[in-house]
């Protein structure tokens, strides 16, 4: 039995998970007192596991690599897993370092070092896949550092701007 | 008939063209860049050539050199790149290679949007109010004067046009300068030509195109109209045929106009005659697209005609396979443009490798794509990944089939706009066929759509199990998800 | 209309039925066994139930119990398993659950092949010469006497029939006993009933089926005929519609006969009226299949009717969507049955996990399958993996499209009969539409077909590179390929 | 440069392969004096490599796990790779041990120990995937051993009969 706290879009759930000894891929899950059975058909290949059956209801779903979001039907949810046994809490997301979400070329920069920006304010334009993509501020704060120049090519995850 | 055709394009349209060539017994030469080496068009062609030029698929010199070296008798340009390039079509002719498209003179005549509108206006059809824009260097006062004559709201357009890029709506005079600058930049970037013009906005309106085929023997037919009013940033998301916004009188008037206009330009091969229909039901000619369009499959489904096959036959000098009387438009068809982009992150492009790619199947469902499981989606090109097409006896059946197909389409490895499409096809106005070009302005993408309280609780259970599964396999340390600062709106779950 | 339907089947047909249900807004309950847990039908259903019974999908008790527990208002049996089981249909009725198929009395009337032939003969139509076979215990002399009356060559058939299993052709008297024993064994194994009969062989002949739809209001229509003469071990490999072997007079006589015969049995729902056409052009009624068939999609394509939708509508008491006059048969369609079996090894079944599964796409191509990349193909069930369907304006276009689609279909992880199909569609007699039920007896599968000297040299180069690539990745020691003793014919490469 | 002898359907070819240093996935191949270029688009994932481009001609193909056969178009070829450097020669195929090619149930056995059988003679019937599959003799010889009985379930690769 494994105790977890699962937070979905800011609502916490206390969850106990017990793998079945008899049937591989079967799990008994207790959520705030309610009992569910989860079956993972691809249990022998968990890397592929992109669908599960909960009490006879099949779902195709997708977790992000870091398990911070889940896609199901046509929605996407922020999730957080707190593992009491491992004693670890995954760090809160969203510091002020704005990294390149895709490789591309910085064509325009709308801000300067030291400038105050609002949440959602356009910071720069990144050109990729024949589109101009506006990158906006993740926080309200001041521009601490500009790590790129117009015309510069950036790789995936490369730091572009830091807000503090 | 040709023995070998070179396809000067990539992705789904190159794949689409190869299919028809193979059915016609014609050998194909495909081009690719190293970023595109996974694309299905490279696997399916008979012969493939790696492009060396930094201009890639748009490099006329290299494309012609390859055509000569491989002995290709004709070149199919697809859309974009070398399509609608009169100069390229002329060079093909000079080299004795058939350009699969209209003759250079026709391309020139329709490529200049303003001259085309002028000609159509003279022939007695309505066109939007428009004005040529002063040169780049012109001062703002002159610019504002032109705009005032056209009137606001207006749209800043590229004179070269095409694919809705480089167009910007301006509501007020004080936004004009900025819009013109941005449009020039984008037009230069996309078309290599920053010539712009202003056009009075017709809104609300319907964006309708009539698909035409014309051979070299004077025969011109249409394959009905498509409604393309469901646009996001000037890109058609969903297109359907027939249009739900026309009555039968309007429809047949539109068809007649399209054939007239095609004849006016001595049009040949395939193209789309495009119109805006205002709220009074008047249609205004806007332009002729002198090439195959991304949405051609919609017309193929209702007319049961392979448009690529007709293109090749026309280019080879053959007559149209069917007269207008022999063409029967039957049923209702729709297409969703599936892009590799992230609807939760301002539609940022999403390159990556497809780890799951399960196409919807069943009666009257078709997917045109260059992707497959294991294929890398490059970052360099258009995010268009797949065209999903469905047909039904009537519009209701078509919509329910589309909804089913979207539910079944499974793509993992890149983010796509599938979720957006799934939500649009459940919108009451869309279901009623009651929408115009403003639809997407008002449409709210719901980040947590369709999730009942039960599904939400089930998601909690699955998250817990997924977490344990991942721990169990002791996966290597998972890199932190890239945290960029793009906009993210989140809605709380039902609780 | 029903709100929820239970699908008492698996694989591609269960997947096929779910699609139509979803389009009709009907919830689905799917069944599965642990061997089938990867099948697409389990992923796509709204609700799924793991079967406990060793009889699996054929267990009437468990299926009914699940229908009641889940609140399903109707059961679709697909083909095989509980389809054509009058007793099961009766139990459904007793429980207030709608059985999607003909009424029990109709199933009984057509299920007894001999009684059905007798009735049709009385109505004035030709049937083959046949005789009931003495009981299992009967002595060989009695058996030979019956056979002598029927005459050789004859075919030993299961009285329950269906899907061509359990049937054996006997050319000479001294082979009869062995054939009867084997047929009994197989009939018992497949149908749980070893009742056999003998039928005079009509050869050469054409195997034709007419697809009919009949509602509860006395309306009966046909969707044209299908030619199913391309058989291997009594299993249809390729089926097409219309038949290339009929002239228009024969065709319309066949349609009329099929409607007559359906009316004779008060037929309801969908079924196939089957005939053998001898070399003089006479058609002989053989049986009515009282269920949906694997090849139903061929008729769907030429009639533009969703047969599963009609089945559900008929079962719900609705009238047929179209009259015979409103049904237009248009174009030419074909289906290839793609089995997970090894054409190089005597067609041994080939279970495994799909590592590549790329479906052919493009206009008028359809694939019905339960597979996808990563899916395990179980060893326990029928090797049918996918139905590949194509349509063209005429037969030539249909064949060239089929050839193209087969080239494009990529399956890795299991062996399939794709290579066999690729060779059949290049056979001159097949291309000419000039084949009968003996085609596959003479057809030679060429192990090294289609490989030019150039391709052979290229294969040498690729083998060398593949060897180095595999060495480079230091793959774990590759297990020796299983060496069984099955037959292998090899041909030398061009040199 | 790597020297190999490739035997395809009994015809040997002398082959020299040189990987390109400049372009990953590119190989120069010399076959009996003729030069070819082979490009492996999936070079970064050789496990997936199921297609190659030879001098601008793309091929989808498939090698068996043990590299003893290749499928291309609608044909399959016996191949053998002799690696001069590794000094190893893969053993000749086809001893007389008849193993189960698929899991299933043995329903009938047509031969007895000691019986002489011809090449291709039916040995037994293996029932799987609702089909009766006839297993035939890989050699002419005598039945040395019967390792299964009628009604017995066999797993993949299990020895059923030995011919000598």
């Amino acid at each position: 039995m494994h105790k977890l706290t699962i937070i979905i879009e800011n609502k916490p759930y206390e969850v106990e998970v017990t793998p079945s000894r008899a049937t591989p891929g079967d799990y008994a899950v207790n959520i705030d007192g309610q009992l569910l059975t989860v079956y993972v058909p691809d249990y022998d290949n968990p890397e592929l596991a992109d669908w599960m059956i909960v009490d006879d209801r099949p779902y195709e779903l997708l977790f992000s690599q870091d398990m911070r979001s889940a896609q199901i039907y046509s929605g996407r949810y922020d999730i957080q897993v707190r593992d009491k046994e491992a004693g670890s809490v995954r760090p809160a997301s969203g510091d002020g370092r704005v990294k390149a979400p895709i490789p591309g070329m910085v064509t325009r920069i709308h801000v300067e070092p030291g400038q105050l920006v609002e949440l959602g304010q356009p910071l720069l334009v990144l050109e990729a896949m024949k589109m101009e993509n506006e990158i906006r501020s993740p926080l309200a704060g001041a521009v601490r550092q500009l790590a790129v120049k117009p015309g510069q090519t950036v790789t995936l995850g490369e730091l572009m701007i830091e807000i503090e | 008939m040709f023995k070998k055709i070179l396809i000067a394009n990539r992705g789904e349209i190159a794949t689409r063209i190869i299919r028809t060539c193979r059915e016609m017994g014609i050998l194909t030469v495909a081009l690719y860049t190293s970023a595109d080496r996974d694309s299905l068009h490279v696997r399916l062609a008979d012969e493939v050539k790696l492009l060396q030029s930094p201009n890639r698929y748009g490099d006329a010199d290299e494309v012609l050199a390859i055509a000569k070296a491989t002995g290709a008798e004709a070149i199919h340009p697809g859309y974009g790149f070398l399509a609608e390039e009169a100069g390229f079509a002329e060079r093909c002719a000079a080299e004795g290679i058939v350009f699969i498209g209209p003759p250079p003179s026709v391309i020139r005549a329709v490529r200049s949007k303003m001259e085309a509108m002028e000609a159509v206006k003279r022939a007695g059809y309505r066109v939007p109010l428009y004005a040529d824009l002063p040169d780049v260097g012109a001062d703002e006062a002159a610019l504002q004067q032109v705009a005032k004559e056209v009137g606001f709201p207006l749209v800043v357009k590229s004179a070269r046009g095409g694919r809705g890029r480089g167009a910007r709506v301006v509501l007020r005079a004080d936004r004009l300068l900025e819009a013109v600058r941005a449009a020039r930049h984008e037009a230069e970037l996309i078309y290599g030509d920053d010539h712009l013009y202003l056009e009075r906005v017709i809104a609300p309106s319907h964006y309708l195109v009539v698909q035409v085929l014309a051979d070299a023997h004077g025969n011109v037919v249409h394959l009905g109209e498509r409604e393309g009013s469901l646009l996001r940033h000037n890109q058609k998301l969903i297109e359907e045929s027939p249009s739900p916004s026309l009555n039968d009188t309007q429809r047949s008037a539109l068809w007649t106009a399209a054939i007239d206009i095609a004849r006016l330009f001595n049009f040949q091969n395939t193209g789309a005659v495009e119109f805006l229909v205002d709220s009074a039901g008047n249609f205004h000619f806007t332009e002729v697209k002198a090439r195959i369009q991304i949405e051609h499959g919609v017309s193929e489904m209702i007319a049961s005609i392979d448009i690529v096959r007709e293109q090749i036959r026309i280019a080879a000098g053959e007559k149209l396979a069917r007269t207008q009387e022999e063409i029967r438009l039957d049923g209702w068809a729709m297409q969703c443009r599936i892009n590799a982009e992230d609807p939760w992150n301002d539609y940022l492009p999403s390159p990556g490798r497809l780890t799951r790619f399960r196409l919807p199947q069943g009666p009257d469902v078709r997917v045109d794509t260059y992707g497959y499981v294991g294929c890398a989606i490059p970052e360099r090109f258009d995010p268009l990944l797949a065209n999903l097409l469905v047909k039904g006896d009537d519009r209701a059946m078509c919509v329910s089939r589309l909804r089913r197909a979207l539910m079944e389409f499974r793509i993992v490895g890149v983010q796509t706009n599938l979720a957006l499409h799934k939500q649009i096809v459940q919108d009451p106005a869309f279901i009623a066929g009651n929408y115009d070009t403003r639809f997407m302005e008002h449409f709210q993408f719901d980040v947590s759509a369709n999730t009942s309280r039960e599904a939400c609780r089930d998601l909690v259970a699955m998250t817990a199990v997924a977490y344990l599964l991942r721990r169990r396999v002791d996966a290597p340390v998972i890199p932190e998800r890239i945290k960029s600062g793009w906009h993210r709106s989140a809605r709380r779950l039902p609780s």
Side-chain angles (χ1 to χ4, degrees), chain A, chain B:
Chain A
M1 204 257 284
H2 211 97
K3 289 191 181 192
L4 301 169
T5 303
I6 310 263
I7 303 166
I8 297 203
E9 298 285 344
N10 302 321
K11 181 164 161 47
Y13 299 83
E14 296 303 313
V15 184
E16 293 172 9
V17 190
T18 314
S20 157
R21 275 171 214 280
T23 319
D26 246 355
Y27 294 80
V29 180
N30 184 325
I31 302 176
D32 296 332
Q34 188 171 11
L35 272 172
L36 296 169
T37 301
V38 176
Y39 178 52
V40 183
D42 288 340
Y43 61 87
D44 45 2
N45 202 346
E47 291 297 304
L48 283 177
D50 69 335
W51 74 298
M52 301 187 191
I53 301 172
V54 185
D55 280 358
D56 298 332
R57 292 178 294 278
Y59 290 94
E60 293 200 313
L61 79 170
L62 185 63
F63 293 98
S64 64
Q65 276 219 318
D66 62 1
M67 292 274 311
R68 300 199 69 94
S69 77
Q71 276 175 256
I72 184 168
Y73 295 124
S74 64
R76 177 155 82 172
Y77 301 96
D78 281 335
I79 58 177
Q80 236 181 301
V81 180
R82 292 204 179 125
D83 185 345
K84 292 178 188 176
E85 237 164 76
S88 77
V89 176
R90 291 184 174 243
S93 72
D95 63 351
R97 288 179 302 164
V98 179
K99 297 173 182 177
I102 40 169
M105 187 173 74
V106 177
T107 52
R108 271 171 290 163
I109 299 179
H110 298 308
V111 294
E112 289 170 14
Q115 184 179 333
L116 290 178
V117 293
E118 289 165 27
L119 174 68
Q121 180 175 334
L123 299 176
L124 55 80
V125 175
L126 184 64
E127 208 172 284
M129 274 176 136
K130 291 184 96 177
M131 297 287 278
E132 296 200 316
N133 305 291
E134 209 160 53
I135 305 296
R136 305 183 190 186
S137 178
L139 324 158
V143 176
R144 188 175 164 223
Q145 185 201 351
L146 268 182
V148 290
K149 290 177 199 160
Q152 182 177 336
T153 302
V154 292
T155 58
L156 176 74
E158 189 172 334
L159 180 68
M160 299 189 295
I161 290 189
E162 199 170 347
I163 310 293
E164 64 179 0
Chain B
M1 184 43 67
F2 310 118
K3 287 188 182 63
K4 195 189 266 190
I5 289 178
L6 181 145
I7 297 158
N9 216 302
R10 59 177 295 281
E12 62 82 30
I13 190 66
T15 309
R16 167 74 190 84
I17 296 164
I18 289 173
R19 292 195 168 107
T20 290
C21 289
R22 179 147 283 169
E23 291 176 11
M24 296 176 79
I26 298 169
L27 295 173
T28 50
V29 181
L31 309 179
Y32 68 110
T33 68
S34 65
D36 267 341
R37 64 178 202 263
D38 277 346
S39 167
L40 199 50
H41 82 279
V42 191
R43 288 182 167 232
L44 296 184
D46 295 292
E47 218 171 318
V48 297
K49 289 285 181 184
L50 183 63
L51 289 167
Q52 308 297 333
S53 157
N55 289 333
R56 303 185 191 91
Y57 303 92
D59 192 298
D61 293 334
E62 190 172 14
V63 168
L64 274 169
I66 293 174
K68 280 190 283 182
T70 56
E73 302 153 74
I75 294 178
H76 196 308
Y79 50 72
F81 300 118
L82 297 169
E84 299 179 286
E85 293 290 344
F88 178 71
E90 269 160 3
R91 290 184 61 187
C92 287
E95 300 281 359
I97 292 170
V98 176
F99 175 81
I100 300 176
S105 58
V106 175
I107 298 177
R108 273 218 175 80
V110 303
R111 190 79 205 237
S112 165
K113 305 300 169 198
M114 284 175 284
E115 284 171 33
M117 282 194 284
E118 202 53 40
V120 171
K121 195 174 162 188
R122 277 197 306 270
Y125 291 102
R126 276 196 185 83
V127 300
L129 190 59
Y130 70 90
D132 199 359
L133 211 60
D135 285 348
V136 192
D139 63 315
E140 194 182 348
L143 184 70
Q144 292 290 2
Q145 183 56 35
V146 175
K148 204 172 161 188
E149 282 158 24
V150 171
F152 291 94
L154 55 77
V155 58
V156 185
K157 281 190 169 181
S158 157
R160 297 287 294 281
R163 290 212 269 167
R165 301 281 184 74
R168 268 178 171 67
V169 172
V170 183
L171 301 178
R172 298 193 326 255
D174 61 347
R175 295 290 190 172
L176 182 65
L177 192 61
E178 183 195 335
V180 168
R181 274 188 194 145
R184 276 208 205 284
H185 177 81
E186 210 166 303
E188 173 67 39
L189 189 77
I190 297 166
Y191 306 109
D193 178 349
D194 67 358
H195 189 171
L196 303 177
Y197 66 101
L198 302 182
E199 192 179 286
R200 178 68 184 262
V201 167
I202 297 173
S205 67
H206 289 271
Y207 185 5
L208 294 171
V209 309
V210 179
Q211 181 81 43
V212 296
L213 289 173
D215 64 21
H217 308 280
N219 303 302
V220 186
V221 299
H222 71 83
L223 307 181
E225 82 288 356
R226 296 193 299 261
E227 168 99 41
S229 304
L230 219 148
L231 302 151
R232 208 192 137 266
H233 291 178
N234 293 321
Q235 230 187 32
K236 292 168 189 173
L237 272 177
I238 299 183
E239 189 149 324
E240 64 181 302
S241 181
S243 159
S245 68
L246 295 181
N247 62 38
D248 285 350
T249 314
Q250 290 174 307
R251 203 182 309 277
S252 81
L254 193 75
W255 294 349
T256 306
I259 298 273
D260 266 12
I261 292 166
R263 287 196 185 280
L264 185 68
F265 291 106
N266 293 312
F267 196 78
Q268 260 183 54
N269 211 281
T270 199
V273 186
E274 306 201 344
F275 301 90
L276 285 176
V277 181
D278 63 27
S279 43
N282 302 309
F283 48 85
H284 307 254
F285 166 82
T286 55
E287 59 174 312
V288 178
K289 295 263 169 69
R291 51 160 169 85
I292 195 160
Q293 287 188 293
I294 298 180
E295 300 81 7
H296 71 278
V298 175
S299 300
E300 290 185 326
M301 284 187 118
I302 64 152
S304 293
I305 284 180
D306 179 338
I307 292 174
V308 175
R309 176 185 281 253
E310 288 306 296
Q311 284 194 289
I312 295 169
R313 292 183 64 255
I314 292 166
E318 297 187 13
K319 287 191 178 173
L320 290 179
R322 296 189 214 161
T323 64
Q324 191 70 66
E325 291 67 42
E326 289 164 344
I327 294 169
R328 206 177 40 236
L329 304 179
D330 201 34
W332 208 289
M334 290 185 178
Q335 167 168 322
C336 286
R337 184 193 290 214
I338 311 297
N339 287 335
E341 62 187 18
D342 189 343
W344 289 281
N345 287 324
D346 269 356
Y347 300 91
L348 274 174
S350 177
R353 193 174 290 277
L354 298 176
T355 53
R356 294 268 192 197
F357 195 63
R358 199 187 65 218
L359 306 181
Q361 306 154 21
D364 284 324
V365 173
R366 164 179 162 191
V367 183
D368 284 3
T369 178
Y370 66 90
Y372 55 87
V373 175
C375 172
I377 306 306
E379 75 204 47
R380 201 184 289 282
F381 298 104
D382 192 284
L384 172 60
L385 171 59
N387 294 322
L388 167 62
L389 293 137
V390 303
K391 182 188 170 185
D393 293 350
D394 52 32
R395 194 169 187 280
M397 191 168 166
C398 184
V399 170
S400 63
R401 185 159 282 163
L402 182 58
R403 199 181 297 139
R404 188 272 292 173
L406 285 166
M407 286 297 285
E408 210 178 311
F409 207 154
R410 180 82 172 145
I411 305 175
V412 179
V414 301
Q415 295 291 342
T416 72
N417 60 359
L418 267 177
L420 173 67
H421 282 294
K422 286 179 192 172
Q423 293 185 22
I424 291 173
V425 298
Q426 289 183 331
D427 180 275
F430 177 77
I431 291 170
N434 181 20
Y435 65 92
D436 57 35
T437 48
R438 293 173 313 179
F439 180 85
M440 285 305 294
E441 289 166 32
H442 304 298
F443 184 80
Q444 286 289 327
F445 179 67
D446 182 350
V447 295
S448 57
N450 285 322
T451 307
S452 65
R453 183 188 287 228
E454 183 188 63
C456 178
R457 185 205 56 210
D458 289 353
L459 176 58
V460 171
M462 291 187 284
T463 302
V465 170
Y467 172 80
L468 284 198
L469 270 174
R470 295 203 181 187
R471 274 201 16 158
R472 201 189 68 189
V473 293
D474 275 329
V477 178
I478 295 161
E480 269 277 288
R481 182 159 72 107
I482 304 307
K483 282 179 202 68
S484 87
W486 59 78
H487 184 64
R488 169 86 207 278
S489 60
R491 210 189 69 163
R492 204 171 278 207
L493 283 177
S495 59

